[in-house]
Amino acid sequence: MKTRSIIDTEFVVRSIAETAIENEAAFCELDSVVGDGDFGYSLARGFEKVLEEWDVYDRTDSSVFLQKIARTITSRLGGTSGPLWGTAFLRASSAVRGLDTVGGADVVAMLRAAIEGIKERGKSDVGDKTLLDALVPATDAVEAAVAKGSSFEKTVEEAAKAAREAAEATSSLQARRGRASYTGERSIGSPDAGAIAVAVILERLSTLPRAR
């Protein structure tokens, strides 16, 4: 049985994919408030393809595995989400290149690299009402938990809590990027779909059994 003391990249990516597919309708509904309503659809189609090709991926090397995921997502995930999520996985793969195992500090490096990639690709930052508004606080929580020597489960729990609080707080923000930015002040009053997705993904991961 696999344990989470050394982070199982395969386990985490599969959880992300399953969560995206299971929450397609909910994410679309959130996005439809001020966006074009296709966020959940696009995310689900991209990760469906990931699961379809699962047995084809080389999952023995985390960096190579994440590179393949990035390519699949970029080619199959539509709208603005494809380039952003694809870039996130690609930058994460670079952070663990050459590593035989992935530990807590490596996860922090992966998340920081993914964040910088999203910022550059999307020309966005915290406060623009995007997934960064949840991903950055969640990463800060991961880094703090890793520094304390917390378990995988406790680390994800703390990250999920930080992401949920930050995602809900995006309701007070005006969208500065993406389709939602076209609505101006009308974007105030509802949370960002991408930020909520980050929270939901982490919440699901926090509920999964320690070993699979």
Side-chain angles (χ1 to χ4, degrees):
M1 297 176 72
K2 298 176 182 178
T3 65
R4 306 278 81 78
S5 55
I6 297 299
I7 308 304
D8 185 347
T9 308
E10 176 184 344
F11 173 87
V12 173
V13 172
R14 190 172 189 94
S15 175
I16 293 172
E18 292 172 349
T19 305
I21 294 167
E22 291 169 6
N23 288 273
E24 176 183 348
F27 292 162
C28 278
E29 183 176 356
L30 277 171
D31 188 45
S32 67
V33 177
V34 292
D36 50 18
D38 69 345
F39 171 67
Y41 176 85
S42 297
L43 205 63
R45 298 294 81 74
F47 280 107
E48 276 181 352
K49 189 63 177 177
V50 166
L51 294 185
E52 285 176 16
E53 298 182 353
W54 195 257
D55 292 334
V56 179
Y57 297 131
D58 175 4
R59 304 193 299 279
T60 61
D61 183 309
S62 292
S63 181
V64 172
F65 173 51
L66 292 172
Q67 285 179 36
K68 297 294 185 182
I69 297 296
R71 291 174 186 169
T72 299
I73 288 175
T74 300
S75 64
R76 299 292 298 206
L77 212 166
T80 58
S81 297
L84 294 179
W85 286 71
T87 297
F89 275 96
L90 187 61
R91 292 295 184 89
S93 75
S94 297
V96 292
R97 185 175 296 138
L99 299 183
D100 293 328
T101 58
V102 176
D106 303 314
V107 170
V108 175
M110 291 165 68
L111 290 169
R112 295 294 183 202
I115 286 167
E116 289 308 309
I118 293 170
K119 286 182 177 181
E120 292 173 16
R121 192 63 186 263
K123 302 294 187 293
S124 58
D125 208 334
V126 173
D128 287 336
K129 196 164 186 168
T130 70
L131 78 166
L132 289 171
D133 288 300
L135 184 58
V136 171
T139 300
D140 292 342
V142 170
E143 187 168 29
V146 168
K148 291 188 295 185
S150 299
S151 66
F152 173 87
E153 292 78 13
K154 182 62 175 177
T155 298
V156 178
E157 181 182 327
E158 292 296 321
K161 180 180 178 181
R164 172 58 66 175
E165 292 177 354
E168 295 293 348
T170 61
S171 293
S172 65
L173 300 176
Q174 180 174 328
R176 304 292 182 185
R177 292 292 182 270
R179 185 65 64 102
S181 65
Y182 302 157
T183 65
E185 293 185 355
R186 285 202 301 112
S187 62
I188 300 173
S190 59
D192 177 69
I196 291 293
V198 171
V200 172
I201 285 168
L202 287 169
E203 286 167 348
R204 183 182 192 277
L205 187 59
S206 72
T207 66
L208 294 176
R210 178 176 173 80
R212 172 177 282 186

